[in-house]
Amino acid sequence: MKTATFEITQEIEQMTRQFALQHIKPYVMEWDEAQHFPIDTFKAMGELGLLGVLVPEKYGGAGLGYFEYVAVIQEISKVCGSIGLSVAAHNSLCTNHILMFGTEEQKQKYLPRLAKGECVGAWGLTEPNTGSDAGNMQTVAVRNGDEWVLNGTKCWITHGITGEIAVVIARTGEPRAKDNSTAFIIERGTPGFKAGKKENKLGMRASETAEMIFDHCVISDSQRLGEVGEGFKQAMKILDGGRISIAALSLGIAKGAFEASVKYSKEREQFGKPISEFQGISFKLADMATEIAAAEMLIHQACGLKERGMPMTKEAAMAKYYASEVAVKVANDAVQVFGGYGYTKDFPVEKYYRDAKLCTIGEGTSEIQKIVIAREVLK
């Protein structure tokens, strides 16, 4: 992974912004209304290196760092949170899990296809009855010689239907026992692996969310990621980096809502002057700008630690917690700035409002982030 430079980050930011404005912005509401995951547009991002940002060049990736990765997620999310979410899940979860814990053979086999956008990645940890309580998961993998038999259902999975390569964490020990889960790579088309219900969501509607079902799904032991029993530990390390990406997603949504609010407040006139000149509006904009800047600093702090290979569990949790709550607050205030127009689908802020809420839930709720932060503070 290359060390970030300001110039590289700026170039990546500009390239991503141009792609988002040209290939995503014209279709945002169409995709949102239809809950359509634009797989062709998504795969086109692979050609630009946006689906393998952190993957080394020898595996077909861009070989960039976390500062560039945050820039990518942010710029896409300023235009559409749904596509930002899908890019984050593909990069941080599925692809990064194989990068961090795969064998050389697994990396050679899967990373080029994921990084180039030839395959869409999915990552399965959450289940219908085990969200934060992942140690009690009911998806079970039983060893049978050189094979494993998987049974169970994963839910709330980004790309649960279209994901061609999935990293799945299954229980291989007793419920809530120490080291009781193991990670596996499972390809779409494997007998016994099928897609289930697609969720009808409040926001992030163009990012596909669905069940993955395993019914006597037999896979080779060569598909196992790391040692038996290490699945949950691996997942926690993956989520550390994933929290930075959700923080970046939150930041992009917040910036998008803020920029729309500034523009509108200068154009909308009441009592003979722009509403930006009224203190009630200008103070909202001041709060938005300050909170966005603080969120960005927390994200950059976590990125810096991650790039230097230093512990960053607390900092990533802080960035994710604060940025996601800021996204919700800024989007809420943006609707208020727009007034009645903000409540319609003719203006962009109602979608930022709907999309933002997911950021406080996905990859660990705000409450879970507080637990993580408190645990680190009290060590």
Side-chain angles (χ1 to χ4, degrees), residues 89 93-94 97 121-126 156-158 165-169 212 234-236 238-239:
L93 301 180
C94 177
H97 200 136
W123 191 78
L125 177 66
T126 305
W156 304 110
I157 308 304
T158 305
I165 297 171
V167 171
V168 178
I169 295 92
M212 294 194 301
Q234 291 176 9
M236 292 304 99
I238 294 300
L239 287 172

Side-chain angles (χ1 to χ4, degrees), residues 85 132 202 204 246-247 249-250 253 319-329 353-370:
L85 174 62
S132 302
L202 168 72
M204 303 290 196
I246 300 300
L249 169 66
S250 305
I253 291 171
K320 196 272 189 191
Y321 166 53
Y322 187 75
S324 64
E325 295 291 342
V326 163
V328 172
K329 184 176 183 298
Y353 184 66
R354 289 185 288 110
D355 287 349
K357 188 58 195 166
L358 186 274
C359 298
T360 69
I361 299 168
E363 293 195 37
T365 62
S366 290
E367 291 74 19
I368 287 293
Q369 304 312 316
K370 289 183 185 181

Side-chain angles (χ1 to χ4, degrees), residues 144-172:
N144 183 16
D146 288 334
E147 295 178 329
W148 292 84
V149 183
L150 271 74
N151 284 286
T153 299
K154 296 291 181 180
C155 69
W156 304 110
I157 308 304
T158 305
H159 312 141
I161 296 169
T162 56
E164 294 128 313
I165 297 171
V167 171
V168 178
I169 295 92
R171 184 162 57 80
T172 49

Side-chain angles (χ1 to χ4, degrees), residues 258-270:
F258 171 68
E259 289 172 10
S261 298
V262 170
K263 182 173 183 290
Y264 181 80
S265 73
K266 291 178 178 178
E267 296 169 351
R268 172 72 167 169
E269 290 192 359
Q270 292 287 277

Side-chain angles (χ1 to χ4, degrees), residues 31-345:
W31 295 341
D32 183 76
E33 291 285 326
Q35 290 204 90
H36 170 67
F37 174 54
I39 191 164
D40 291 339
T41 304
F42 189 78
K43 291 192 171 188
M45 289 189 277
E47 297 170 18
L48 291 178
L50 303 183
L51 300 186
V53 180
L54 304 169
V55 175
E57 292 177 36
K58 69 175 182 176
Y59 300 122
L64 297 169
Y66 263 79
F67 286 97
E68 291 92 344
Y69 181 41
V70 162
V72 166
I73 301 296
Q74 174 189 287
E75 288 303 319
I76 295 170
S77 304
K78 278 167 71 172
V79 173
C80 181
S82 296
I83 308 306
L85 174 62
S86 279
V87 172
H90 176 94
N91 273 284
S92 288
L93 301 180
C94 177
T95 304
N96 200 38
H97 200 136
I98 296 171
L99 175 63
M100 285 183 68
F101 298 105
T103 62
E104 184 60 30
E105 185 180 351
Q106 288 168 338
K107 291 177 186 177
Q108 296 275 6
K109 182 178 181 180
Y110 293 111
L111 290 179
R113 291 155 63 189
L114 288 162
K116 293 172 185 174
E118 294 169 9
C119 292
V120 177
W123 191 78
L125 177 66
T126 305
E127 298 183 1
N129 293 312
T130 56
S132 302
D133 184 17
N136 194 34
M137 67 179 73
Q138 301 304 302
T139 297
V140 175
V142 177
R143 190 162 194 164
N144 183 16
D146 288 334
E147 295 178 329
W148 292 84
V149 183
L150 271 74
N151 284 286
T153 299
K154 296 291 181 180
C155 69
W156 304 110
I157 308 304
T158 305
H159 312 141
I161 296 169
T162 56
E164 294 128 313
I165 297 171
V167 171
V168 178
I169 295 92
R171 184 162 57 80
T172 49
E174 292 301 312
R176 294 204 178 92
K178 189 179 179 184
D179 302 331
N180 72 341
S181 62
T182 305
F184 302 91
I185 305 170
I186 308 176
E187 295 191 52
R188 188 72 62 179
T190 303
F193 174 26
K194 63 180 181 179
K197 173 192 173 190
K198 180 179 176 179
E199 302 297 340
N200 185 8
K201 300 175 295 183
L202 168 72
M204 303 290 196
R205 289 168 61 83
S207 179
E208 176 192 282
T209 305
E211 293 176 325
M212 294 194 301
I213 299 169
F214 304 95
D215 183 9
H216 293 90
C217 177
V218 180
I219 56 171
S220 165
D221 187 54
S222 65
Q223 299 301 102
R224 173 168 48 82
L225 271 165
E227 298 301 317
V228 174
E230 288 185 348
F232 186 71
K233 288 178 181 175
Q234 291 176 9
M236 292 304 99
K237 290 177 182 174
I238 294 300
L239 287 172
D240 270 353
R243 283 167 184 153
I244 294 176
S245 72
I246 300 300
L249 169 66
S250 305
L251 183 66
I253 291 171
K255 284 189 174 183
F258 171 68
E259 289 172 10
S261 298
V262 170
K263 182 173 183 290
Y264 181 80
S265 73
K266 291 178 178 178
E267 296 169 351
R268 172 72 167 169
E269 290 192 359
Q270 292 287 277
F271 306 102
K273 60 182 179 180
I275 63 171
S276 59
E277 293 184 19
F278 292 98
Q279 195 176 78
I281 298 299
S282 65
F283 277 17
K284 277 190 192 303
L285 297 174
D287 285 341
M288 288 177 175
T290 303
E291 288 161 354
I292 286 169
E296 192 159 28
M297 288 177 187
L298 282 171
I299 292 167
H300 286 172
Q301 175 183 243
C303 284
L305 292 170
K306 180 74 174 172
E307 296 247 297
R308 298 196 297 274
M310 297 173 70
M312 38 67 81
T313 298
K314 179 183 72 177
E315 289 77 11
M318 284 178 168
K320 196 272 189 191
Y321 166 53
Y322 187 75
S324 64
E325 295 291 342
V326 163
V328 172
K329 184 176 183 298
V330 168
N332 181 59
D333 284 345
V335 172
Q336 202 70 16
V337 169
F338 274 72
Y341 291 112
Y343 204 67
T344 71
K345 292 183 183 290

